[in-house]
Amino acid sequence: MAEDKKSLNFIEQIIEEDLANGLDPKNLRFRFPPEPNGYLHIGHAASICLNFGLGEKYNAPVNLRFDDTNPAKEEQEYVDAIKRDVAWLGFKWDKELYSSDYFQQLYDWTIDIIKAGNAYVDMQSSEEIAAQKGTPTSPGTDSPYRNTSVEENLTLFEKMKNGEFGEGEAILRAKIDMQHNNMHMRDPIMYRVLKKHHHRTGNDWVIYPMYDWTHGESDYLESITHSLCTLEFKSHRDLYEWYLAQVADPNKIQPKQREFARRNISYTVMSKRKLLQLVQENHVAGWDDPRMPTISGLRRRGYTPNSIRKFSEIAGISKRDNVTDVALLEFCIKDELNKTAPRVMAVLDPIKLVIDNYPTDKEEILIAENNPEDESAGEREVPFAKELYIEREDFREQANKKFFRLKIGGEVRLKNAYIIKADSVEKDENGNITLIHCTADLDSRSGSGTEASKRRVKGTIHWVSKKHAVKTQVNLYDRLFKDEAPDSHKDIDFKQFINPNSLEVITALVEPSLLTSKPGDRFQFQRKGYFCADVDSTSNQLIFNRTVGLTDSWAKEEKKTATPANDASYDAVIALAGKYLKARSNEERDALLNEIEPLANKVNKGNLATKLNDAIANKDVLAGLLTLKFIGVNSAEEKFFISKSLTMKNGAIKLEAINIVVANDDLLTDNKTTLEAILADEKSPFIKEIIEKAIL
């Protein structure tokens, strides 16, 4: 593999070093080893994408192995769900395997370990054993059973296997070192008695091996070369290697355990135990509730395999635990659906509108483009008539000059239709508006080619025809938790932070083209957000789930309530960025950069993430880029900002983002696909040359 090491993540660097040291590429083999005690979530997607991604990169097989060593918590339902999720993400496993496949081999090896004097049966209580373990700073003490004879241990272990002990009455422990600095090496448990039905082996076994004893041996039996785990298993590595040393043939491939940081995301919880609580206590409708961070929940909400894989790619693989902003996940799906989702009109909070000068019996079929980002998406027919529905928020009886939607005496264009002017309203006895009377410029129909059709007005609003509108159930899903880190508060139950407004069910009116939608179909409801047809949606009862809004309403709320993040240095960078955008020569730009560099180094880094998230105007985005140019790109939020900047239309911004990316090997790897897309469409020879040198 000739790939530059600097462009590789640290796991890939380990593999490349092993290959350079003589490992035959044909022997590479990976695995994804979920425990079937719950549904996979977005955190697991990092491991799935890592292991299967390595398999694709190195053309190596990847096993799907279920760690089914705890029958008390495992179910076939979870096995089926895991297989479904991995396949949906677009990955193919080489072999479907189970730790239970190796129960007999593990038992036989255990007999050999006992015979070697390296394991013993302990019949103390769990409290007594825990007290003898010691602490990280004080050594443990030996169990009174530690020096039981081999013959007696074999007899006792046989009794455990035959069900002659109850649960908790006896365990088998490895005999390692009660003085060891690593607590996991202080005579860990290898087997415990569990008289539970197993989803595959039934009632054949009443003793079950512990994860640490099973894991490495399963890797060894499957000839796994790289056993990739999350960081909490780093302290288990000594034990992993000790167990292997008891059974492995030194002439065969020895698996290597290495660790990476688990994926944590803001505004949710990742513990399967806590997710199970949410399901069992009916805080959500099930594991696939669209508010859940499970892969099945995200799928039902409207997320795509590509968006989740892109999210995993941008967030990257790290050696240190961190929290990734959920906004990055939302960006990935919005970025994809913006390019692929058909646009349709749906009115979520309808108010009736009548065009008084439009013929009562007339109906028209108007032509609307399906996606302005994709010419191949084609067009559709939308019926139009005298009586319509529009969004209630799109009309104000009285409004200031900055309100560009419909108001009395004001004009707007109805999307794909006519320019209308509001004349009067009707109200109920409580003063609520029930009907808006309008006049249309009947020569202004979109696409008709008339002079009136070319007339510009500042506002365009969507609508549906009253006669043709289809009543639809819309589930307005929002974040399940209102706290950024709901399970980080020691004295507060994480469920106290459940967002009471995480689901609002409404009846909306949609255009009739949606009658042909199928479960899983995704759309942009124009000006409202991205929505997905639910699995229970039918032509008789359409149901749509909101995937994500077009704008980040949470960022707006946080901005309202946050303490102002005043930063004179950054404000100065913004001002200079405005000048940089207007600079006409390289000399001017170089001079501005000399001014910006010392300011960038003084920027309050604690406030920078907020500044980057709020950046919309060109000078604000450029200020963020120029700051990162000098202080470096480190956090997932900063990487997200760089990726977003690459997609902006302003040439100066795009160029600056490209320069930052090509100078950073990690960013180059993360954004290679985006750069290839830019290269395909880019007209500037200068920008094309920069990208070509970097990626070709």
Side-chain angles (χ1 to χ4, degrees):
M1 302 288 173
E3 196 166 353
D4 185 352
K5 285 187 178 181
K6 288 185 178 179
S7 67
L8 306 174
N9 64 49
F10 77 95
I11 295 292
E12 292 168 334
Q13 288 181 26
I14 290 170
I15 294 170
E16 290 293 333
E17 288 169 6
D18 290 340
L19 294 173
N21 291 329
L23 177 63
D24 188 337
K26 294 180 182 177
N27 289 331
L28 280 174
R29 181 179 286 273
F30 306 98
R31 88 289 175 268
F32 173 61
E35 184 180 357
N37 63 351
Y39 280 54
L40 298 179
H41 55 59
I42 187 65
H44 293 113
S47 180
I48 296 171
C49 291
L50 173 61
N51 283 288
F52 283 95
L54 289 170
E56 291 178 351
K57 177 172 183 173
Y58 292 101
N59 194 28
V62 183
N63 290 343
L64 175 61
R65 183 212 307 143
F66 292 93
D67 170 34
D68 57 343
T69 57
N70 187 358
K73 295 183 178 180
E74 296 155 2
E75 297 178 17
Q76 185 63 39
E77 173 194 353
Y78 299 141
V79 171
D80 296 339
I82 289 167
K83 290 164 60 177
R84 187 165 57 245
D85 289 344
V86 173
W88 178 75
L89 283 171
F91 296 114
K92 294 183 179 179
W93 53 88
D94 181 51
K95 295 177 181 177
E96 179 185 326
L97 299 168
Y98 297 80
S99 294
S100 55
D101 295 337
Y102 312 126
F103 280 176
Q104 186 62 52
Q105 177 64 75
L106 289 166
Y107 177 81
D108 293 343
W109 274 335
T110 302
I111 296 296
D112 292 337
I113 291 173
I114 295 173
K115 287 179 178 179
N118 291 327
Y120 62 95
V121 174
D122 196 328
M123 291 181 284
Q124 296 181 98
S125 69
S126 58
E127 292 79 13
E128 290 172 317
I129 292 172
Q132 292 165 359
K133 274 274 186 148
T135 69
T137 57
S138 62
T141 55
D142 289 354
S143 163
Y145 295 92
R146 197 171 197 269
N147 295 314
T148 304
S149 69
V150 168
E151 292 74 18
E152 188 172 351
N153 278 318
L154 288 171
T155 300
L156 290 170
F157 189 53
E158 182 71 14
K159 287 183 176 181
M160 285 176 63
K161 177 179 180 289
N162 293 337
E164 296 179 38
F165 288 104
E167 294 185 9
E169 291 181 357
I171 57 172
L172 184 78
R173 298 175 69 180
K175 189 176 181 179
I176 306 178
D177 183 1
M178 290 302 290
Q179 313 293 311
H180 204 286
N181 290 334
N182 186 336
M183 295 282 286
H184 295 294
M185 298 293 281
R186 296 182 186 178
D187 292 8
I189 300 172
M190 293 180 70
Y191 275 90
R192 76 284 204 200
V193 176
L194 282 176
K195 296 183 177 180
K196 301 284 193 301
H197 181 84
H198 189 279
H199 72 105
R200 294 188 73 245
T201 61
N203 298 314
D204 292 349
W205 296 86
V206 295
I207 55 170
Y208 289 92
M210 299 297 288
Y211 174 83
D212 281 324
W213 166 228
T214 310
H215 182 206
E217 281 46 59
S218 300
D219 289 338
Y220 171 67
L221 287 167
E222 295 171 17
S223 300
I224 301 301
T225 53
H226 296 82
S227 179
L228 307 177
C229 309
T230 45
L231 278 179
E232 64 263 34
F233 291 102
K234 187 169 186 177
S235 60
H236 295 242
R237 195 197 293 182
D238 289 342
L239 183 56
Y240 181 95
E241 293 172 351
W242 187 89
Y243 279 141
L244 280 175
Q246 309 311 303
V247 303
D249 181 340
N251 297 313
K252 292 185 178 180
I253 289 174
Q254 305 287 306
K256 174 185 289 187
Q257 177 180 306
R258 291 297 180 265
E259 305 82 19
F260 61 95
R262 68 189 307 161
R263 176 85 68 243
N264 295 306
I265 299 180
S266 61
Y267 290 99
T268 192
V269 294
M270 290 297 184
S271 161
K272 279 196 281 188
R273 177 179 59 82
K274 291 177 180 176
L275 294 176
L276 181 59
Q277 270 187 269
L278 293 173
V279 173
Q280 291 180 333
E281 296 175 16
N282 297 315
H283 297 289
V284 293
W287 285 98
D288 68 343
D289 187 300
R291 293 166 292 181
M292 290 279 274
T294 54
I295 293 175
S296 57
L298 291 168
R299 176 169 60 242
R300 188 168 185 176
R301 186 156 176 165
Y303 279 80
T304 64
N306 285 340
S307 67
I308 293 174
R309 291 176 68 159
K310 182 66 175 177
F311 168 71
S312 295
E313 177 188 336
I314 294 174
I317 297 298
S318 172
K319 293 182 180 180
R320 293 186 298 275
D321 281 328
N322 55 71
V323 177
T324 302
D325 194 328
V326 70
L328 177 58
L329 178 61
E330 293 168 347
F331 164 78
C332 289
I333 187 60
K334 283 194 281 191
D335 186 56
E336 179 178 346
L337 294 182
N338 179 54
K339 300 168 186 172
T340 61
R343 275 55 167 169
V344 295
M345 292 191 286
V347 177
L348 306 188
D349 184 16
I351 186 170
K352 187 177 173 183
L353 178 151
V354 62
I355 304 174
D356 291 326
N357 65 329
Y358 193 90
T360 301
D361 298 329
K362 184 177 179 181
E363 292 181 16
E364 289 183 83
I365 297 297
L366 304 179
I367 304 300
E369 63 179 341
N370 286 327
N371 190 334
E373 301 289 327
D374 180 10
E375 292 182 6
S376 66
E379 298 174 330
R380 70 187 188 285
E381 296 181 342
V382 181
F384 184 86
K386 182 183 183 74
E387 294 182 324
L388 311 173
Y389 285 108
I390 66 169
E391 294 287 355
R392 190 173 298 276
E393 67 178 10
D394 282 340
F395 175 76
R396 289 184 190 172
E397 193 173 4
Q398 296 179 335
N400 60 33
K401 293 180 180 179
K402 293 184 178 180
F403 185 77
F404 297 127
R405 286 165 283 173
L406 190 61
K407 55 191 172 185
I408 298 295
E411 288 187 321
V412 296
R413 177 174 288 284
L414 295 172
K415 183 71 176 175
N416 305 307
Y418 298 91
I419 294 172
I420 61 170
K421 181 173 71 173
D423 300 317
S424 63
V425 298
E426 294 181 20
K427 300 180 181 181
D428 63 18
E429 63 275 11
N430 297 316
N432 299 312
I433 298 172
T434 57
L435 179 64
I436 306 166
H437 287 275
C438 295
T439 303
D441 180 347
L442 297 178
D443 291 328
S444 66
R445 194 185 71 199
S446 297
S448 63
T450 63
E451 286 300 313
S453 70
K454 299 174 184 177
R455 187 159 63 87
R456 293 192 174 186
V457 291
K458 288 188 175 181
T460 299
I461 62 175
H462 63 279
W463 52 274
V464 291
S465 164
K466 177 179 180 293
K467 180 178 179 180
H468 306 91
V470 179
K471 282 189 176 181
T472 303
Q473 177 181 321
V474 173
N475 300 321
L476 297 175
Y477 288 107
D478 204 341
R479 295 177 185 173
L480 183 56
F481 295 95
K482 55 188 178 181
D483 187 84
E484 190 172 5
D487 55 355
S488 66
H489 307 271
K490 289 184 179 179
D491 300 322
I492 306 176
D493 187 333
F494 77 100
K495 297 190 295 296
Q496 295 296 312
F497 297 102
I498 289 176
N499 176 13
N501 301 313
S502 62
L503 171 59
E504 181 185 359
V505 180
I506 64 171
T507 299
L509 299 170
V510 302
E511 63 176 74
S513 68
L514 287 172
L515 284 169
T516 61
S517 64
K518 301 290 190 297
D521 286 352
R522 302 171 183 89
F523 302 90
Q524 183 194 102
F525 286 4
Q526 289 181 303
R527 304 173 59 237
K528 304 307 292 184
Y530 294 101
F531 291 76
C532 176
D534 188 69
V535 293
D536 294 329
S537 183
T538 68
S539 58
N540 293 325
Q541 175 57 74
L542 294 176
I543 305 173
F544 285 93
N545 301 326
R546 180 169 63 188
T547 306
V548 66
L550 293 177
T551 58
D552 188 349
S553 59
W554 282 79
K556 291 178 182 177
E557 286 302 311
E558 288 165 359
K559 191 172 180 180
K560 286 179 189 174
T561 58
T563 302
N566 295 321
D567 189 336
S569 296
Y570 196 78
D571 291 343
V573 173
I574 292 174
L576 291 170
K579 294 181 180 180
Y580 192 93
L581 284 169
K582 298 175 182 177
R584 295 183 175 276
S585 67
N586 288 334
E587 290 77 11
E588 283 183 78
R589 284 186 280 270
D590 288 342
L592 288 165
L593 289 176
N594 287 333
E595 289 186 64
I596 289 171
E597 183 173 8
L599 292 166
N601 288 315
K602 294 178 183 177
V603 164
N604 184 334
K605 295 179 177 60
N607 293 333
L608 185 56
T610 301
K611 299 286 189 182
L612 298 179
N613 187 56
D614 291 345
I616 297 174
N618 286 339
K619 69 175 182 178
D620 294 335
V621 176
L622 185 59
L625 290 170
L626 295 176
T627 299
L628 295 175
K629 178 188 183 81
F630 293 115
I631 69 171
V633 179
N634 299 298
S635 70
E637 289 78 8
E638 290 165 0
K639 291 179 181 179
F640 166 47
F641 176 76
I642 295 293
S643 299
K644 184 171 68 171
S645 300
L646 285 172
T647 65
M648 293 194 68
K649 294 181 180 180
N650 182 277
I653 290 174
K654 183 161 59 175
L655 177 59
E656 201 58 55
I658 290 170
N659 282 330
I660 291 173
V661 168
V662 300
N664 182 308
D665 293 316
D666 289 338
L667 290 175
L668 184 59
T669 301
D670 292 343
N671 293 281
K672 188 174 181 182
T673 303
T674 303
L675 290 177
E676 289 171 345
I678 293 172
L679 183 61
D681 297 331
E682 185 56 51
K683 295 179 181 178
S684 165
F686 179 61
I687 291 179
K688 292 181 75 169
E689 183 180 0
I690 293 173
I691 298 175
E692 286 171 348
K693 285 182 178 179
I695 67 174
L696 299 181

